[in-house]
Coordinates of all heavy atoms in Angstrom, one line a residue:
D1 N 13.3 1.8 2.3 CA 13.9 2.7 1.3 C 13.3 2.5 -0.1 O 13.7 1.5 -0.7 CB 15.4 2.6 1.3 CG 16.1 3.7 0.5 OD1 15.4 4.7 0.2 OD2 17.2 3.4 0.1
M2 N 12.4 3.3 -0.5 CA 11.8 3.2 -1.8 C 11.9 4.6 -2.5 O 11.6 5.6 -1.8 CB 10.4 2.8 -1.8 CG 10.2 1.3 -1.3 SD 8.5 0.8 -1.2 CE 7.9 1.8 0.1
R3 N 12.2 4.7 -3.7 CA 12.3 5.9 -4.5 C 10.9 6.5 -4.8 O 10.0 5.8 -5.3 CB 13.1 5.7 -5.7 CG 13.4 7.0 -6.5 CD 14.3 6.7 -7.7 NE 13.8 5.6 -8.5 CZ 13.1 5.7 -9.6 NH1 12.8 6.9 -10.1 NH2 12.8 4.7 -10.4
R4 N 10.6 7.7 -4.5 CA 9.3 8.4 -4.8 C 9.3 8.6 -6.3 O 10.2 9.3 -6.8 CB 9.2 9.6 -3.9 CG 8.0 10.4 -4.2 CD 6.9 10.1 -3.2 NE 5.7 10.8 -3.5 CZ 5.2 11.8 -2.8 NH1 5.9 12.3 -1.8 NH2 4.1 12.4 -3.1
I5 N 8.2 8.2 -6.9 CA 8.1 8.4 -8.4 C 6.8 9.1 -8.8 O 6.8 9.7 -9.8 CB 8.2 7.1 -9.2 CG1 7.2 6.1 -8.7 CG2 9.6 6.5 -9.0 CD1 7.1 4.8 -9.5
G6 N 5.8 9.1 -7.9 CA 4.6 9.8 -8.2 C 4.2 10.9 -7.3 O 4.5 10.9 -6.1
R7 N 3.6 11.9 -7.9 CA 3.2 13.1 -7.1 C 1.9 13.5 -7.5 O 1.4 13.3 -8.6 CB 4.2 14.2 -7.3 CG 5.6 13.8 -6.9 CD 6.4 14.9 -6.4 NE 7.8 14.5 -6.0 CZ 8.1 14.1 -4.9 NH1 7.3 14.0 -3.9 NH2 9.4 13.7 -4.6
F8 N 1.2 14.3 -6.6 CA -0.1 14.8 -6.9 C -0.2 16.1 -6.2 O 0.2 16.3 -5.1 CB -1.2 13.9 -6.4 CG -2.6 14.5 -6.5 CD1 -3.3 14.5 -7.6 CD2 -3.1 15.1 -5.4 CE1 -4.6 15.1 -7.7 CE2 -4.4 15.7 -5.4 CZ -5.1 15.7 -6.6
S9 N -0.8 17.1 -6.9 CA -1.1 18.4 -6.2 C -2.3 19.0 -7.0 O -2.5 18.7 -8.2 CB 0.1 19.3 -6.2 OG 0.4 19.7 -7.5
C10 N -3.0 19.8 -6.3 CA -4.1 20.5 -6.9 C -4.3 21.8 -6.2 O -3.7 22.2 -5.3 CB -5.4 19.7 -6.9 SG -6.1 19.4 -5.3
S11 N -5.3 22.6 -6.7 CA -5.6 23.9 -6.1 C -6.3 23.8 -4.7 O -6.3 24.8 -4.0 CB -6.4 24.7 -7.1 OG -7.7 24.1 -7.3
D12 N -6.8 22.7 -4.4 CA -7.5 22.5 -3.1 C -6.5 22.1 -2.1 O -6.0 20.9 -2.1 CB -8.6 21.5 -3.2 CG -9.4 21.3 -2.0 OD1 -8.9 21.6 -0.9 OD2 -10.6 20.9 -2.1
P13 N -6.1 22.9 -1.1 CA -5.1 22.6 -0.1 C -5.5 21.4 0.7 O -4.6 20.6 1.1 CB -4.9 23.8 0.7 CG -6.1 24.7 0.4 CD -6.7 24.3 -0.9
L14 N -6.8 21.2 1.0 CA -7.2 20.0 1.8 C -7.0 18.7 1.1 O -6.6 17.7 1.6 CB -8.7 20.2 2.2 CG -8.9 21.3 3.3 CD1 -10.4 21.4 3.5 CD2 -8.2 21.1 4.5
L15 N -7.3 18.7 -0.2 CA -7.1 17.5 -1.0 C -5.6 17.2 -1.2 O -5.2 16.0 -1.1 CB -7.8 17.6 -2.4 CG -7.8 16.4 -3.3 CD1 -8.5 15.2 -2.5 CD2 -8.6 16.7 -4.6
S16 N -4.8 18.2 -1.4 CA -3.4 18.0 -1.5 C -2.8 17.5 -0.1 O -1.9 16.6 -0.1 CB -2.7 19.3 -1.8 OG -3.0 19.7 -3.2
R17 N -3.3 18.0 1.0 CA -2.9 17.5 2.3 C -3.3 16.1 2.5 O -2.5 15.3 3.1 CB -3.5 18.4 3.4 CG -3.0 18.1 4.8 CD -1.6 18.4 4.9 NE -0.9 17.3 5.6 CZ 0.3 17.1 5.6 NH1 1.2 17.9 5.0 NH2 0.8 16.1 6.3
L18 N -4.5 15.7 2.1 CA -5.0 14.3 2.2 C -4.0 13.4 1.4 O -3.6 12.3 1.9 CB -6.4 14.2 1.6 CG -6.9 12.8 1.6 CD1 -7.1 12.2 3.0 CD2 -8.3 12.7 0.9
H19 N -3.6 13.8 0.2 CA -2.7 13.0 -0.5 C -1.3 12.8 0.2 O -0.8 11.7 0.3 CB -2.4 13.7 -1.9 CG -1.3 13.0 -2.7 ND1 -1.5 11.8 -3.3 CD2 -0.1 13.4 -2.9 CE1 -0.3 11.4 -3.9 NE2 0.5 12.4 -3.6
E20 N -0.8 13.9 0.8 CA 0.4 13.8 1.5 C 0.3 12.9 2.8 O 1.2 12.2 3.2 CB 1.0 15.2 1.9 CG 1.6 15.9 0.7 CD 2.7 15.1 0.0 OE1 3.6 14.5 0.7 OE2 2.6 14.9 -1.2
N21 N -0.9 12.9 3.4 CA -1.2 12.0 4.5 C -1.1 10.5 4.0 O -0.6 9.7 4.8 CB -2.5 12.3 5.1 CG -2.5 13.6 5.9 OD1 -1.5 14.2 6.2 ND2 -3.7 14.1 6.2
V22 N -1.6 10.3 2.8 CA -1.5 8.9 2.3 C -0.1 8.5 2.1 O 0.4 7.4 2.5 CB -2.3 8.8 0.9 CG1 -2.0 7.5 0.2 CG2 -3.8 9.0 1.2
V23 N 0.8 9.4 1.6 CA 2.2 9.2 1.4 C 2.9 8.8 2.7 O 3.6 7.8 2.9 CB 2.9 10.3 0.7 CG1 4.4 10.2 0.7 CG2 2.4 10.5 -0.7
W24 N 2.6 9.7 3.7 CA 3.3 9.4 5.0 C 2.7 8.2 5.7 O 3.5 7.4 6.4 CB 3.1 10.6 6.0 CG 4.1 11.7 5.6 CD1 3.9 12.8 4.9 CD2 5.5 11.7 5.9 NE1 5.1 13.5 4.8 CE2 6.1 12.8 5.4 CE3 6.3 10.8 6.6 CZ2 7.4 13.1 5.5 CZ3 7.7 11.1 6.7 CH2 8.2 12.2 6.2
S25 N 1.5 7.9 5.5 CA 0.9 6.6 6.1 C 1.5 5.4 5.4 O 1.9 4.4 6.1 CB -0.6 6.6 5.9 OG -1.2 5.4 6.4
M26 N 1.7 5.5 4.1 CA 2.4 4.4 3.4 C 3.8 4.2 3.9 O 4.3 3.1 4.2 CB 2.4 4.6 1.9 CG 3.1 3.5 1.2 SD 3.1 3.9 -0.6 CE 4.4 2.7 -1.1
R27 N 4.6 5.3 4.1 CA 5.9 5.2 4.6 C 6.0 4.5 5.9 O 6.8 3.7 6.2 CB 6.6 6.5 4.7 CG 6.9 7.1 3.4 CD 7.6 8.5 3.6 NE 7.9 9.0 2.3 CZ 8.6 10.1 2.1 NH1 9.1 10.8 3.1 NH2 8.8 10.5 0.9
G28 N 5.0 4.8 6.8 CA 5.0 4.2 8.1 C 4.5 2.7 8.1 O 4.8 2.0 9.0
N29 N 3.8 2.4 7.1 CA 3.3 1.0 7.0 C 4.1 0.1 6.1 O 3.8 -1.1 6.0 CB 1.8 1.0 6.6 CG 0.9 1.5 7.7 OD1 1.1 1.2 8.9 ND2 -0.1 2.3 7.3
F30 N 5.1 0.6 5.4 CA 5.9 -0.2 4.6 C 7.3 -0.3 5.2 O 8.2 0.3 4.8 CB 6.0 0.4 3.2 CG 4.9 0.0 2.3 CD1 3.6 0.2 2.6 CD2 5.2 -0.5 1.0 CE1 2.5 -0.1 1.8 CE2 4.1 -0.9 0.1 CZ 2.8 -0.7 0.5
V31 N 7.4 -1.2 6.2 CA 8.6 -1.4 7.0 C 8.9 -2.9 6.8 O 8.3 -3.7 7.6 CB 8.5 -1.0 8.4 CG1 9.8 -1.2 9.1 CG2 8.1 0.5 8.5
D32 N 9.7 -3.3 5.9 CA 10.0 -4.7 5.6 C 8.9 -5.5 5.0 O 9.1 -6.2 4.0 CB 10.6 -5.4 6.8 CG 11.3 -6.7 6.5 OD1 12.0 -6.7 5.4 OD2 11.1 -7.7 7.2
V33 N 7.6 -5.3 5.4 CA 6.5 -5.9 4.9 C 5.4 -4.8 4.8 O 5.3 -3.9 5.6 CB 5.9 -7.1 5.6 CG1 6.9 -8.2 5.6 CG2 5.5 -6.7 7.0
P34 N 4.4 -4.9 3.8 CA 3.3 -4.0 3.8 C 2.3 -4.3 4.9 O 1.8 -5.4 5.0 CB 2.7 -4.1 2.4 CG 3.1 -5.5 2.0 CD 4.4 -5.8 2.7
T35 N 2.1 -3.3 5.8 CA 1.1 -3.5 6.9 C -0.1 -2.6 6.8 O -0.1 -1.7 5.9 CB 1.8 -3.3 8.3 OG1 2.3 -1.9 8.3 CG2 3.0 -4.2 8.5
D36 N -1.0 -2.8 7.6 CA -2.2 -2.0 7.7 C -2.1 -1.0 8.8 O -1.8 0.1 8.7 CB -3.5 -2.9 7.8 CG -4.7 -2.0 8.0 OD1 -4.8 -0.9 7.6 OD2 -5.6 -2.5 8.7
C37 N -2.3 -1.5 10.0 CA -2.3 -0.7 11.2 C -1.3 -1.2 12.2 O -1.5 -2.2 12.9 CB -3.7 -0.7 11.9 SG -5.0 -0.1 10.9
P38 N -0.1 -0.6 12.2 CA 1.0 -1.2 13.0 C 0.7 -1.1 14.5 O 1.3 -1.8 15.3 CB 2.2 -0.3 12.7 CG 1.7 0.9 12.0 CD 0.3 0.5 11.4
Q39 N -0.3 -0.3 14.9 CA -0.7 -0.2 16.4 C -1.6 -1.3 16.8 O -1.8 -1.5 18.0 CB -1.2 1.1 16.7 CG -2.7 1.3 16.3 CD -2.8 1.8 14.8 OE1 -1.9 1.7 14.0 NE2 -4.0 2.2 14.5
R40 N -2.1 -2.1 15.9 CA -3.0 -3.2 16.2 C -2.5 -4.5 15.7 O -1.4 -4.6 15.1 CB -4.4 -3.0 15.6 CG -5.1 -1.7 16.0 CD -6.5 -1.7 15.6 NE -6.7 -2.0 14.2 CZ -7.4 -1.2 13.4 NH1 -7.9 0.0 13.8 NH2 -7.5 -1.5 12.1
D41 N -3.2 -5.6 16.0 CA -2.7 -6.9 15.6 C -2.9 -7.2 14.1 O -2.7 -8.3 13.7 CB -3.4 -8.0 16.4 CG -2.9 -8.0 17.8 OD1 -1.7 -7.6 18.1 OD2 -3.6 -8.5 18.7
E42 N -3.2 -6.2 13.3 CA -3.3 -6.4 11.9 C -2.0 -6.0 11.2 O -2.0 -5.7 10.0 CB -4.5 -5.5 11.4 CG -5.8 -5.9 12.0 CD -6.9 -4.9 11.7 OE1 -6.7 -4.0 10.9 OE2 -7.9 -5.0 12.4
R43 N -0.9 -6.0 11.9 CA 0.3 -5.5 11.4 C 1.2 -6.5 10.7 O 2.3 -6.2 10.3 CB 1.1 -4.8 12.5 CG 1.5 -5.8 13.6 CD 2.2 -5.0 14.7 NE 2.4 -5.8 15.9 CZ 1.5 -5.9 16.9 NH1 0.4 -5.1 16.8 NH2 1.7 -6.7 17.9
L44 N 0.6 -7.7 10.5 CA 1.4 -8.7 9.8 C 1.6 -8.6 8.3 O 2.5 -9.1 7.7 CB 0.9 -10.1 10.2 CG 0.9 -10.4 11.7 CD1 0.3 -11.8 12.0 CD2 2.4 -10.4 12.2
G45 N 0.6 -7.9 7.7 CA 0.8 -7.6 6.3 C 0.7 -8.8 5.4 O 1.6 -8.9 4.5
W46 N -0.2 -9.7 5.6 CA -0.1 -10.9 4.7 C -0.7 -10.7 3.3 O 0.0 -11.0 2.4 CB -0.8 -12.0 5.4 CG -0.1 -12.4 6.6 CD1 -0.5 -12.4 7.9 CD2 1.3 -12.9 6.7 NE1 0.5 -12.8 8.8 CE2 1.6 -13.1 8.0 CE3 2.2 -13.1 5.7 CZ2 2.8 -13.5 8.5 CZ3 3.5 -13.6 6.2 CH2 3.8 -13.8 7.5

């Protein structure tokens, strides 16, 4: 649970979508510790 404070948008819908993908990827990888790829053994987040 972290409060969203930053936003980005632009006239290019693909770039805006890329930004939202980064946001969702971060949410999925910030679960108690910051991780990289939770589906692989790099999920320890050291």
Side-chain angles (χ1 to χ4, degrees):
D1 186 22
M2 293 180 290
R3 185 173 53 94
R4 178 93 182 256
I5 57 174
R7 303 214 180 266
F8 171 82
S9 66
C10 68
S11 61
D12 185 334
L14 291 177
L15 189 54
S16 293
R17 184 69 225 161
L18 176 63
H19 172 74
E20 284 307 309
N21 288 348
V22 170
V23 170
W24 279 103
S25 179
M26 179 182 162
R27 287 182 181 186
N29 285 322
F30 275 53
V31 181
D32 194 40
V33 297
T35 61
D36 171 30
C37 298
Q39 76 276 14
R40 298 192 310 235
D41 286 336
E42 299 166 11
R43 63 185 168 268
L44 297 176
W46 293 118

